[in-house]
Amino acid sequence: MKRIVLASGNPGKLREFQQLLSNTDYEIIPQSKLDIPDADEIGLSFVENSILKARHASKLSGLPAIADDSGLEVDALNGQPGIYSARFAGTPSNDDNNNKKLLQELGDISAQQRSARFQCLLTLLRHEKDPVPLIFQGTWEGRILFEPSGENGFGYDPLFFVPEQNCSSAQLSAQVKNAISHRGKAMAKLLRHLVK
């Protein structure tokens, strides 16, 4: 197996990456297993933060690294929470608090004005000083519901309505979500590169 460190401690992301790479000869090692702390996300975009996280994990592990920076952009909120999606509600930052803040911010804005999308930027670094990081982007369009629905997934999944499936992301099976989500789309591009 070829080992790649995943520059994330998020158990939901780890599960998705492990499922997506399960039929390859790559083994995903979460950075937490190697006692690598989270990188400081000081970038101003998903791309910058993804590269920062991948370099940090590769430097401290000596392994190739995959980093994911992703988040939710809500049009009515001028693209917020964006790169601050995981810590939108401040401290304590958790999925429940972030979802409550999102609903508060949207208030009684109509369903038609709740358009949103998930963005995912994946960076693959072959080594710490890789001068040409490979970057893969996936976007998933939807809208924000008025209340949570569904038990699967993590983050904003219970509030993210997927029109093509007529349900929230949290009501999708892992298999369906991995095939159509922002991360699934970015991972499919990454996989095509890895299995050349």
Side-chain angles (χ1 to χ4, degrees), residues 1 18 20 25 34-35 37 44 54 58 60 65 75 88 92 99-100 106 110 122-123 142-143 157 159-160 170 177:
M1 296 287 279
Q18 287 173 330
L20 288 162
D25 60 348
L34 303 173
D35 294 322
L44 299 178
S58 185
L60 296 178
D75 292 323
F88 189 45
N99 283 322
K100 285 177 184 170
L106 285 171
S110 71
L122 290 181
T123 296
R143 66 179 159 81
D157 285 345
L159 292 177
F160 188 74
K177 181 184 175 189

Side-chain angles (χ1 to χ4, degrees), residues 146-157:
F146 287 88
E147 60 185 37
S149 181
E151 302 295 324
N152 299 331
F154 63 97
Y156 297 97
D157 285 345

